[in-house]
Amino acid sequence: MGKYFGTDGVRGVANKELTAELAYSIGRCGGYVLAGGVERPKVVIGMDTRISGLMLESALVAGLLSIGADVIRLGVVSTPGVAYIARLLKADAGVMISASHNPVEDNGIKFFGGDGFKLSDETENRIEELMDAETDQLPRPVGGGLGTVIVDEESRYRYLDYLKTTVNESFSGLKIVLDCANGAAYELAPKLFRELGAEVIAIGAEPNGLNINEQCGSTHPEHLKQEVLKHNADLGLAFDGDADRLIAIDETGAEVDGDFILCICGDAMNRAGKLKDSTVVSTVMSNIGFYKATEKLALKTAKTAVGDRYVMEEMRRGGYNLGGEQSGHVIFLDYNTTGDGMLTAIQLVDTMKASGKKLSELKALMTQYPQVLVNVRVEDKSKYEGNSAIEQAIATVEQHLGDNGRVLVRASGTESLIRVMAEGPDKDELEQFVSQIADVVQKELV
């Protein structure tokens, strides 16, 4: 991670950490690097529903125009929608303004190259170098050399049309509750599922600029569970603020996270001969139960650090076409170049419909081990690495768990948090172990 860029772009409290001035600089320097010397680069910009989106978009657009870039404003659209549309329109870069699942006070800026992929560390470092340069020596064209702006109201619907081509089954006969997190999916997801034939009940689909992710969406599936049971629905699907992740709820109200989705879709793709090298890429946060299930299903796995960008890097390196995270970032590389909540949702429903089974039956492919996760907010997460007291606390718990569980402690890539996670057969015991480690983290770093 760099000075400005975390694991998923630049993030911070809008107008305090992520200011309009910073967004202008990101626009100038990011646009210049990504355009790669093109005389009149073309950049597409999308955003979620946060109140700060317009402020940041205005500043970002100003920065891009100032280097002579032509900007296409897409309005409210998902992060994967921006990645797709950047390729569709043959743009030189795509930009999404969103802080994903974070609260409304936060916002973020993430770039895609013209190929629809997120940036490499090297490219982000180059942008940061320009942002920190003592003298701004980037182009400052005048007159007709300045960039232009157009508003594109159609491309997001072309993205939906494309998504529909990736499934084989009609969704008619299915009753589905969609939780759109009052975010980027609020219009597109209900439209997509209705056009595929499903009966749709939409919640979290009334954004007001302030309610994104507020007790709704993939990080708060409790309300969705209630609605699935109340409406006797076949399943529920929850997106996050920028709709790049998905958490599902089966007809019994049980949660189906990214590990389950990877197992269900990976097994179906493998049986159909469509899973490259019979391999699914996951992260260190995947449940032990995921690895036991994939072994039973004769699926191979590759493991990466946390963050969908690392999953993607491994997929591209190994030539794999399915990967993702427990949190619900799932990448179907045959269809899009980043995690895509709506794509994942229709792939899961398509798989379910083709199997003739209920989601709870498909979910039985995997048994999830109890997992306890505690986030400790700290002053400076960089002081975690090499802290001997925390290392000793972790080692003590690992000794107790032996081969029957594991501990994972890591700094969040996007927030000032240390995440303490343990897995094993006994949840009460895990809560005690995680509490022990969290207490030491708090003592050492807060």
Side-chain angles (χ1 to χ4, degrees):
M1 289 186 291
K3 179 177 174 184
Y4 304 109
F5 286 88
T7 54
D8 200 17
V10 179
R11 274 199 203 170
V13 177
N15 212 25
K16 184 178 178 185
E17 296 163 344
L18 181 50
T19 61
E21 292 86 346
L22 184 60
Y24 172 81
S25 177
I26 293 169
R28 254 183 89 67
C29 301
Y32 178 77
V33 171
L34 288 169
V38 176
E39 191 175 341
R40 275 199 92 90
K42 181 162 68 176
V43 181
V44 300
I45 298 182
M47 58 195 287
D48 67 21
T49 57
R50 282 162 220 269
I51 190 171
S52 58
L54 285 172
M55 175 191 77
L56 295 171
E57 185 194 43
S58 300
L60 193 63
V61 169
L64 288 162
L65 297 179
S66 75
I67 59 159
D70 291 329
V71 174
I72 301 172
R73 293 175 57 207
L74 303 174
V76 175
V77 65
S78 66
T79 291
V82 170
Y84 173 78
I85 294 168
R87 286 184 288 132
L88 177 73
L89 300 183
K90 296 184 170 41
D92 298 292
V95 189
M96 179 66 184
I97 302 169
S98 174
S100 189
H101 59 283
N102 284 20
V104 68
E105 292 79 10
D106 291 357
N107 214 330
I109 296 172
K110 63 181 113 181
F111 281 98
F112 293 93
D115 57 3
F117 288 101
K118 290 182 180 176
L119 305 190
S120 66
D121 290 343
E122 293 73 23
T123 305
E124 290 180 348
N125 291 339
R126 174 68 180 136
I127 295 171
E128 291 194 349
E129 283 171 17
L130 291 175
M131 291 170 67
D132 283 342
E134 286 187 19
T135 309
D136 181 351
Q137 297 182 326
L138 300 185
R140 284 191 181 274
V142 297
L146 282 167
T148 60
V149 183
I150 61 170
V151 176
D152 181 345
E153 298 282 0
E154 295 302 320
S155 287
R156 61 179 180 273
Y157 302 119
R158 293 175 69 188
Y159 163 60
L160 282 199
D161 288 341
Y162 167 71
L163 289 181
K164 284 186 282 185
T165 68
T166 69
V167 296
N168 299 312
E169 302 287 330
S170 163
F171 293 177
S172 62
L174 291 178
K175 186 190 288 186
I176 301 175
V177 184
L178 299 178
D179 183 344
C180 303
N182 291 315
Y186 85 95
E187 178 204 4
L188 299 180
K191 182 176 170 61
L192 174 65
F193 277 84
R194 285 186 180 120
E195 289 179 357
L196 285 168
E199 178 185 348
V200 172
I201 298 157
I203 61 175
E206 296 181 353
N208 62 13
L210 298 172
N211 59 359
I212 189 170
N213 299 321
E214 188 179 56
Q215 299 304 310
C216 59
S218 62
T219 50
H220 298 284
E222 306 81 20
H223 184 43
L224 178 60
K225 290 178 187 177
Q226 291 171 5
E227 292 296 307
V228 167
L229 296 175
K230 176 181 153 188
H231 294 284
N232 197 25
D234 294 288
L235 74 161
L237 300 163
F239 308 98
D240 64 337
D242 66 337
D244 67 349
R245 66 168 77 175
L246 170 79
I247 294 294
I249 302 295
D250 72 17
E251 78 284 358
T252 72
E255 188 170 320
V256 179
D257 66 18
D259 286 344
F260 284 105
I261 294 169
L262 286 171
C263 269
I264 293 167
C265 293
D267 180 51
M269 290 170 66
N270 198 39
R271 287 169 186 268
K274 294 179 177 176
L275 185 67
K276 287 182 184 164
D277 293 332
S278 298
T279 298
V280 180
V281 180
S282 67
T283 77
V284 293
M285 286 299 283
S286 284
N287 192 274
I288 291 179
F290 168 78
Y291 295 105
K292 291 186 182 295
T294 50
E295 197 177 328
K296 203 179 292 181
L297 294 167
L299 300 176
K300 291 181 273 188
T301 57
K303 196 185 292 186
T304 74
V306 175
D308 60 332
R309 64 183 297 167
Y310 301 114
V311 173
M312 178 59 80
E313 284 173 8
E314 178 62 18
M315 291 174 74
R316 295 180 78 183
R317 189 199 63 76
Y320 309 123
N321 60 345
L322 179 66
E325 299 185 279
Q326 185 187 54
S327 61
H329 281 122
V330 178
I331 302 167
F332 289 85
L333 194 49
D334 291 336
Y335 303 124
N336 206 349
T337 51
T338 187
D340 188 328
M342 287 190 283
L343 172 64
T344 302
I346 61 174
Q347 292 300 316
L348 179 65
V349 174
D350 196 47
T351 301
M352 189 182 107
K353 198 79 192 294
S355 74
K357 295 180 179 176
K358 295 178 177 178
L359 186 54
S360 64
E361 295 174 286
L362 292 179
K363 179 176 177 280
L365 285 175
M366 173 184 144
T367 301
Q368 191 174 51
Y369 275 51
Q371 186 182 75
V372 176
L373 171 68
V374 169
N375 294 319
V376 184
R377 191 161 289 280
V378 298
E379 292 291 327
D380 183 356
K381 63 185 178 184
S382 68
K383 292 181 179 173
Y384 158 63
E385 291 296 337
N387 184 293
S388 57
I390 298 174
E391 287 174 352
Q392 181 56 50
I394 295 169
T396 302
V397 172
E398 285 178 335
Q399 196 173 2
H400 276 95
L401 285 172
D403 295 332
N404 212 21
R406 65 173 183 141
V407 178
L408 182 67
V409 180
R410 67 180 184 88
S412 166
T414 55
E415 299 178 79
S416 294
L417 299 173
I418 300 296
R419 302 192 192 279
V420 182
M421 188 275 280
E423 285 175 349
D426 186 332
K427 190 169 184 185
D428 290 339
E429 188 180 58
L430 292 175
E431 284 174 350
Q432 187 187 334
F433 287 151
V434 167
S435 177
Q436 283 176 23
I437 298 172
D439 286 346
V440 177
V441 171
Q442 201 149 29
K443 188 178 171 188
E444 294 290 316
L445 303 182
V446 175

